[in-house]
Amino acid sequence: SYVLTQPPSVSVAPGQTARITCGGNNIGSKSVHWYQQKPGQAPVLAVYADSDRPSGIPERFSGSNSGNTATLTISRVEAGDEADYYCQVWDSSSDHVVFGGGTKLTVL
Amino acid sequence: EVQLVQSGAEVKKPGESLKISCKGSGFSFTNYWIGWVRQMPGKGLQWMGFIYPGNSDTRYSPSFQGQVTISADTSINTAYLQWSSLEASDTAMYFCARHGGNSGRRNPYDYWGQGTLVTVSS
């Protein structure tokens, strides 16, 4: 089955740039989605189709996807960005949805 | 306004059965794939499966195949997740979510329910 690998944690100072990676075999050929989840809340779609933003998501959130790594980039990080972030794809070969293990973003 | 409203928290004993629900509104329920996602306490998101209510086409994660049943009732725009015999390890938050757009399962989960907390304890 297809596996997505994320670092357990990323720390960044306010105003700096956070990069959260999502590794998978030839993930560049898939459409990657990213979710933000704050404690006690349902996940919220942050970036979809590698690099598109839903309405209401700040432009500070962006994404890229190539080769074996997809990346969620959060520019000018704010305290309110502190959350867990999950990448997700649909694996066409198995017709299953796959989530990464999640990354806890800490704003120092 | 698109909404997915889930049923309330449940406390059950091991061996009991349970069916939780997810009611959609503000969109054509029969034309969107609806997924179920488990989140165990302090852990990440686990995909359980999805259903296309229009024809009840259903897929399950291998981890949950045979352990749960996903169904839908299009007359009341509601999807269900069901257990026949709960175990303590089923204690978790369960979310339903909608695959958005026109490309079905390839699309992201654009709307989520608020979650249903299931606690299984003797």
Side-chain angles (χ1 to χ4, degrees):
Chain A
S1 60
Y2 195 76
V3 176
L4 295 175
T5 301
Q6 298 183 235
S9 63
V10 168
S11 298
V12 63
Q16 299 304 302
T17 297
R19 294 179 180 85
I20 298 172
T21 59
C22 176
N25 184 36
N26 197 26
I27 194 174
S29 67
K30 301 183 183 301
S31 183
V32 179
H33 317 303
W34 291 91
Y35 302 90
Q36 176 193 66
Q37 187 182 32
K38 296 183 178 180
Q41 298 183 17
V44 172
L45 182 64
V47 168
Y48 68 97
D50 299 339
S51 58
D52 290 334
R53 273 187 323 276
S55 60
I57 299 298
E59 290 183 8
R60 302 183 296 103
F61 287 76
S62 62
S64 63
N65 184 19
S66 179
N68 292 319
T69 305
T71 304
L72 171 69
T73 301
I74 309 172
S75 304
R76 303 180 299 283
V77 166
E78 303 174 356
D81 298 331
E82 191 162 279
D84 294 324
Y85 291 85
Y86 297 89
C87 58
Q88 177 250 308
V89 301
W90 172 63
D91 178 34
S92 59
S93 62
S94 62
D95 197 6
H96 291 158
V97 167
V98 181
F99 284 100
T103 298
K104 180 176 180 60
L105 175 66
T106 299
V107 181
L108 301 170
Chain B
E1 179 194 8
V2 173
Q3 283 191 312
L4 293 171
V5 178
Q6 297 185 229
S7 50
E10 302 273 1
V11 179
K12 292 289 192 178
K13 290 181 167 49
E16 292 186 333
S17 63
L18 176 64
K19 192 173 190 178
I20 63 175
S21 66
C22 168
K23 183 174 177 60
S25 62
F27 66 101
S28 179
F29 187 75
T30 54
N31 293 338
Y32 288 82
W33 287 85
I34 301 294
W36 286 95
V37 177
R38 183 175 81 173
Q39 188 166 40
M40 300 177 76
K43 302 299 183 182
L45 305 177
Q46 295 176 281
W47 180 73
M48 302 178 72
F50 47 31
I51 186 168
Y52 189 76
N55 61 9
S56 294
D57 191 5
T58 308
R59 307 281 191 280
Y60 293 93
S61 161
S63 299
F64 295 96
Q65 179 84 47
Q67 308 304 308
V68 298
T69 301
I70 295 171
S71 60
D73 184 342
T74 56
S75 68
I76 54 172
N77 291 348
T78 300
Y80 299 99
L81 180 64
Q82 182 175 4
W83 295 259
S84 59
S85 181
L86 287 160
E87 301 176 359
S89 58
D90 293 316
T91 294
M93 181 72 80
Y94 293 88
F95 295 100
C96 65
R98 186 190 84 160
H99 282 275
N102 299 321
S103 298
R105 309 186 291 286
R106 174 184 170 89
N107 285 350
Y109 287 120
D110 60 352
Y111 287 92
W112 292 69
Q114 81 277 19
T116 296
L117 181 62
V118 174
T119 303
V120 184
S121 175
S122 55

